[in-house]
Amino acid sequence: MWREIKDREAGKTRPNSFKNRVSSSRISNLQLSNYKDVVSPHRGSINSLQVDLTEGRYLLSGASDASASVFDIQHATDFEGGGEGALIAKHKSLITIDKQHQNGHKFAISSAIWYPIDTGLFVTGSYDHYIKVWDTNSTQMVINFKMPGKVYRTAMSPLATSHMLIAAGTEDVQVRLCDIASGAFAHTLSGHRDGVMTVEWSTSSEWVLVTGGCDGAIRFWDIRRAGCFLVLDQSQSQLGRRPPVLARSAVSKVSTSKALSKGQNLLGKPRMPQKKSGGGNGIKHSPLGQVPAKGYLKQRLHPGMLSSQDRATAHYGAVTGLKITEDGMYLLSAGSDSRIRLWDVESGRNTLVNFETARLQTSKPIQLATAQDSNLVFVPCMTSVKVNIPDAPCAFDVWSGKTYVTFRGHYEYVNCCWFSSQDQVSSYSCTFSQGFSSYHFISLIIMLPVRFFMQS
């Protein structure tokens, strides 16, 4: 570590490289912590976790016993004596809403999310076919939406400034957008052929929504238009990632300058004079069956080919988890086929990263998490949390997909994990048991059942 600090002071190491090395070093040295405990009021498995996006202080959890709780993860509510004179910080729930509440859910809560810009509201989705919006201060229900089936996942865009929509994935084939402002459904998105198990908003556009269904399809939607504009196909692939924007622009400038110096056009062929048409406008009509387009040449497809593309699948089985990287360039997906895939959002192709074999849950959605720089992916793998590397500063590890570190300590299946870029101290996780786990390291927060890890 001291050598790396000295190299950074001398300017031998770039800031981003230094930050990634320090973060990786701290993650690899995590150990189970005995000094922090989240006292869970849940009597069933925890299905969803999220730390608020505004303060990074309040943890929201939803469980299969139809209860939702809020914890203050920065300030302990109590301290208890531990071994060797150490104190254990106890974090008890500030509020809990369960079946005893007059407006509480009747069945398991599958999704619990914060309102993106304020901790005064949070949203829960349940197997009782309802999505409910709650006032945090009064613990009263503000709005509820009746869905056509079990609610698997809900999501709100962290970038939205023009809408207040909740995207809901249910056992129905249609994705519904619930408008908090009007208290009604904005519209539905049709295209999946089976239930929609997971939904995720883009991190680069407030209008783009990604959904994964039990039909194995991953679809991209622009909610301002009808129909999806992209269906991912696992057979369409590219080897590795696309070059950075700066590198591509530099290469294009060099190639353009060379072509111009040789008196050639961009295709490398001598420039031919254009033939004037009968109208005298100097434009040559394109051949029949082709559509002139700027950039890549687009061709008109036969309706049968369009139908086959619409039926493309991203996994052999249900898509159980989706996570878009912070820069919005790549999408991670997990499926009931126990496969993890990394997709290039721009090209819509599978990058062929060979992630190590992992035992993933197949019967319910799982919650993935990524680090802020998208170097690490946290994946709930049965009774452990694995950290894989889809993108790393070292060239040999960028697309290896090898397991970086495994967090062990849970006794039951792990359902979800969460990363918080605002918390510089701890990370949490939760499983089928009634507890939490916390991993202490810089800039990382993972959520799963009930254990804590501290850096030694």
Side-chain angles (χ1 to χ4, degrees), residues 16-42:
N16 288 338
S17 177
F18 175 75
K19 182 189 69 173
N20 292 335
R21 290 181 184 180
V22 172
S23 177
S24 300
S25 175
R26 297 201 175 196
I27 295 173
S28 62
N29 293 326
L30 292 182
Q31 294 181 2
L32 186 62
S33 172
N34 297 320
Y35 305 105
K36 191 172 184 179
D37 186 18
V38 175
V39 182
S40 172
H42 302 301

Short mmCIF file of all heavy atoms in Angstrom, two decimals, residues 16-42:
data_model
loop_
_atom_site.label_atom_id
_atom_site.label_comp_id
_atom_site.label_asym_id
_atom_site.label_seq_id
_atom_site.Cartn_x
_atom_site.Cartn_y
_atom_site.Cartn_z
N ASN A 16 -7.32 7.47 -11.16
CA ASN A 16 -8.33 6.41 -11.25
C ASN A 16 -7.73 5.04 -10.96
O ASN A 16 -8.35 4.21 -10.28
CB ASN A 16 -8.98 6.41 -12.62
CG ASN A 16 -9.91 7.59 -12.83
OD1 ASN A 16 -10.38 8.18 -11.86
ND2 ASN A 16 -10.16 7.94 -14.08
N SER A 17 -6.53 4.81 -11.46
CA SER A 17 -5.87 3.54 -11.21
C SER A 17 -5.57 3.37 -9.73
O SER A 17 -5.76 2.29 -9.16
CB SER A 17 -4.58 3.46 -12.03
OG SER A 17 -3.88 2.27 -11.76
N PHE A 18 -5.11 4.44 -9.09
CA PHE A 18 -4.82 4.38 -7.67
C PHE A 18 -6.08 4.11 -6.85
O PHE A 18 -6.08 3.29 -5.93
CB PHE A 18 -4.17 5.70 -7.22
CG PHE A 18 -3.92 5.79 -5.74
CD1 PHE A 18 -2.89 5.08 -5.15
CD2 PHE A 18 -4.73 6.58 -4.94
CE1 PHE A 18 -2.66 5.15 -3.78
CE2 PHE A 18 -4.52 6.66 -3.58
CZ PHE A 18 -3.48 5.95 -3.00
N LYS A 19 -7.17 4.79 -7.21
CA LYS A 19 -8.43 4.59 -6.49
C LYS A 19 -8.92 3.16 -6.63
O LYS A 19 -9.37 2.54 -5.65
CB LYS A 19 -9.48 5.55 -7.04
CG LYS A 19 -10.84 5.47 -6.34
CD LYS A 19 -11.89 6.27 -7.06
CE LYS A 19 -12.23 5.63 -8.39
NZ LYS A 19 -13.38 6.29 -9.06
N ASN A 20 -8.83 2.60 -7.83
CA ASN A 20 -9.30 1.23 -8.05
C ASN A 20 -8.45 0.22 -7.28
O ASN A 20 -8.97 -0.77 -6.75
CB ASN A 20 -9.28 0.90 -9.54
CG ASN A 20 -10.31 1.70 -10.31
OD1 ASN A 20 -11.32 2.13 -9.76
ND2 ASN A 20 -10.07 1.90 -11.60
N ARG A 21 -7.15 0.47 -7.22
CA ARG A 21 -6.28 -0.45 -6.49
C ARG A 21 -6.57 -0.43 -5.00
O ARG A 21 -6.60 -1.48 -4.35
CB ARG A 21 -4.81 -0.08 -6.74
CG ARG A 21 -4.32 -0.37 -8.16
CD ARG A 21 -2.86 0.00 -8.32
NE ARG A 21 -2.40 -0.19 -9.70
CZ ARG A 21 -1.16 0.07 -10.11
NH1 ARG A 21 -0.27 0.54 -9.24
NH2 ARG A 21 -0.83 -0.12 -11.36
N VAL A 22 -6.78 0.76 -4.45
CA VAL A 22 -7.08 0.86 -3.02
C VAL A 22 -8.41 0.19 -2.71
O VAL A 22 -8.54 -0.56 -1.73
CB VAL A 22 -7.10 2.34 -2.58
CG1 VAL A 22 -7.60 2.48 -1.15
CG2 VAL A 22 -5.71 2.95 -2.70
N SER A 23 -9.42 0.46 -3.55
CA SER A 23 -10.73 -0.14 -3.34
C SER A 23 -10.66 -1.66 -3.43
O SER A 23 -11.22 -2.37 -2.60
CB SER A 23 -11.73 0.41 -4.37
OG SER A 23 -12.98 -0.21 -4.24
N SER A 24 -9.94 -2.18 -4.43
CA SER A 24 -9.82 -3.63 -4.59
C SER A 24 -9.09 -4.25 -3.41
O SER A 24 -9.45 -5.34 -2.94
CB SER A 24 -9.07 -3.94 -5.90
OG SER A 24 -9.76 -3.43 -7.00
N SER A 25 -8.07 -3.56 -2.91
CA SER A 25 -7.32 -4.07 -1.77
C SER A 25 -8.19 -4.17 -0.53
O SER A 25 -8.15 -5.15 0.22
CB SER A 25 -6.11 -3.18 -1.50
OG SER A 25 -5.42 -3.58 -0.33
N ARG A 26 -9.03 -3.16 -0.31
CA ARG A 26 -9.89 -3.18 0.87
C ARG A 26 -10.96 -4.25 0.77
O ARG A 26 -11.31 -4.90 1.75
CB ARG A 26 -10.52 -1.81 1.06
CG ARG A 26 -9.51 -0.72 1.33
CD ARG A 26 -10.12 0.47 2.00
NE ARG A 26 -9.11 1.45 2.36
CZ ARG A 26 -9.32 2.44 3.21
NH1 ARG A 26 -10.50 2.58 3.77
NH2 ARG A 26 -8.37 3.29 3.51
N ILE A 27 -11.49 -4.44 -0.41
CA ILE A 27 -12.52 -5.46 -0.59
C ILE A 27 -11.95 -6.86 -0.34
O ILE A 27 -12.58 -7.70 0.28
CB ILE A 27 -13.12 -5.37 -2.00
CG1 ILE A 27 -13.85 -4.05 -2.18
CG2 ILE A 27 -14.08 -6.53 -2.26
CD1 ILE A 27 -14.32 -3.80 -3.58
N SER A 28 -10.74 -7.10 -0.81
CA SER A 28 -10.14 -8.43 -0.66
C SER A 28 -9.79 -8.75 0.79
O SER A 28 -9.57 -9.91 1.13
CB SER A 28 -8.87 -8.53 -1.52
OG SER A 28 -7.91 -7.57 -1.11
N ASN A 29 -9.73 -7.73 1.67
CA ASN A 29 -9.36 -7.95 3.07
C ASN A 29 -10.57 -7.92 4.02
O ASN A 29 -10.40 -7.78 5.23
CB ASN A 29 -8.35 -6.89 3.52
CG ASN A 29 -7.02 -7.04 2.82
OD1 ASN A 29 -6.60 -8.16 2.53
ND2 ASN A 29 -6.35 -5.93 2.55
N LEU A 30 -11.77 -8.04 3.48
CA LEU A 30 -12.96 -8.00 4.33
C LEU A 30 -13.05 -9.23 5.22
O LEU A 30 -12.75 -10.34 4.77
CB LEU A 30 -14.22 -7.90 3.48
CG LEU A 30 -14.42 -6.60 2.71
CD1 LEU A 30 -15.73 -6.65 1.96
CD2 LEU A 30 -14.42 -5.43 3.65
N GLN A 31 -13.48 -9.02 6.45
CA GLN A 31 -13.71 -10.10 7.39
C GLN A 31 -15.04 -9.88 8.11
O GLN A 31 -15.53 -8.76 8.16
CB GLN A 31 -12.57 -10.19 8.41
CG GLN A 31 -11.23 -10.57 7.81
CD GLN A 31 -10.14 -10.67 8.85
OE1 GLN A 31 -10.42 -10.48 10.04
NE2 GLN A 31 -8.93 -10.96 8.42
N LEU A 32 -15.58 -10.94 8.66
CA LEU A 32 -16.85 -10.84 9.36
C LEU A 32 -16.70 -9.94 10.58
O LEU A 32 -15.81 -10.13 11.41
CB LEU A 32 -17.30 -12.23 9.79
CG LEU A 32 -18.68 -12.32 10.43
CD1 LEU A 32 -19.75 -11.88 9.45
CD2 LEU A 32 -18.96 -13.73 10.91
N SER A 33 -17.56 -8.94 10.69
CA SER A 33 -17.48 -7.97 11.77
C SER A 33 -18.31 -8.41 12.97
O SER A 33 -19.42 -8.93 12.82
CB SER A 33 -17.98 -6.60 11.29
OG SER A 33 -18.08 -5.70 12.37
N ASN A 34 -17.76 -8.17 14.14
CA ASN A 34 -18.46 -8.48 15.39
C ASN A 34 -18.86 -7.22 16.14
O ASN A 34 -19.20 -7.29 17.32
CB ASN A 34 -17.56 -9.34 16.28
CG ASN A 34 -17.24 -10.68 15.67
OD1 ASN A 34 -18.11 -11.31 15.07
ND2 ASN A 34 -16.00 -11.12 15.81
N TYR A 35 -18.83 -6.07 15.46
CA TYR A 35 -19.05 -4.81 16.16
C TYR A 35 -20.26 -4.04 15.64
O TYR A 35 -20.46 -2.90 16.00
CB TYR A 35 -17.80 -3.93 16.06
CG TYR A 35 -16.57 -4.62 16.55
CD1 TYR A 35 -15.60 -5.10 15.66
CD2 TYR A 35 -16.37 -4.83 17.91
CE1 TYR A 35 -14.48 -5.75 16.12
CE2 TYR A 35 -15.23 -5.48 18.38
CZ TYR A 35 -14.29 -5.94 17.47
OH TYR A 35 -13.18 -6.59 17.94
N LYS A 36 -21.03 -4.65 14.77
CA LYS A 36 -22.21 -3.98 14.23
C LYS A 36 -23.28 -5.00 13.94
O LYS A 36 -23.01 -6.08 13.42
CB LYS A 36 -21.86 -3.21 12.95
CG LYS A 36 -22.95 -2.27 12.47
CD LYS A 36 -22.46 -1.42 11.32
CE LYS A 36 -23.49 -0.40 10.89
NZ LYS A 36 -23.01 0.46 9.79
N ASP A 37 -24.51 -4.66 14.29
CA ASP A 37 -25.61 -5.60 14.12
C ASP A 37 -26.88 -4.84 13.78
O ASP A 37 -27.22 -3.86 14.43
CB ASP A 37 -25.81 -6.41 15.41
CG ASP A 37 -26.84 -7.51 15.23
OD1 ASP A 37 -27.12 -7.86 14.06
OD2 ASP A 37 -27.35 -8.03 16.23
N VAL A 38 -27.57 -5.29 12.74
CA VAL A 38 -28.88 -4.75 12.38
C VAL A 38 -29.93 -5.68 12.96
O VAL A 38 -30.00 -6.86 12.59
CB VAL A 38 -29.06 -4.63 10.86
CG1 VAL A 38 -30.47 -4.18 10.53
CG2 VAL A 38 -28.05 -3.64 10.30
N VAL A 39 -30.73 -5.18 13.88
CA VAL A 39 -31.74 -6.00 14.55
C VAL A 39 -32.98 -6.04 13.67
O VAL A 39 -33.73 -5.07 13.56
CB VAL A 39 -32.09 -5.43 15.94
CG1 VAL A 39 -33.11 -6.31 16.63
CG2 VAL A 39 -30.83 -5.27 16.78
N SER A 40 -33.18 -7.15 13.02
CA SER A 40 -34.26 -7.26 12.04
C SER A 40 -35.57 -7.65 12.71
O SER A 40 -35.63 -8.63 13.46
CB SER A 40 -33.90 -8.30 10.98
OG SER A 40 -35.00 -8.55 10.14
N PRO A 41 -36.66 -6.94 12.42
CA PRO A 41 -37.98 -7.32 12.95
C PRO A 41 -38.70 -8.32 12.05
O PRO A 41 -39.80 -8.77 12.39
CB PRO A 41 -38.72 -5.98 12.98
CG PRO A 41 -38.16 -5.23 11.82
CD PRO A 41 -36.72 -5.66 11.70
N HIS A 42 -38.10 -8.64 10.90
CA HIS A 42 -38.77 -9.52 9.94
C HIS A 42 -38.77 -10.96 10.43
O HIS A 42 -37.81 -11.44 11.02
CB HIS A 42 -38.07 -9.44 8.58
CG HIS A 42 -38.02 -8.06 8.01
ND1 HIS A 42 -39.15 -7.32 7.75
CD2 HIS A 42 -36.97 -7.27 7.64
CE1 HIS A 42 -38.81 -6.14 7.25
NE2 HIS A 42 -37.49 -6.09 7.18
#
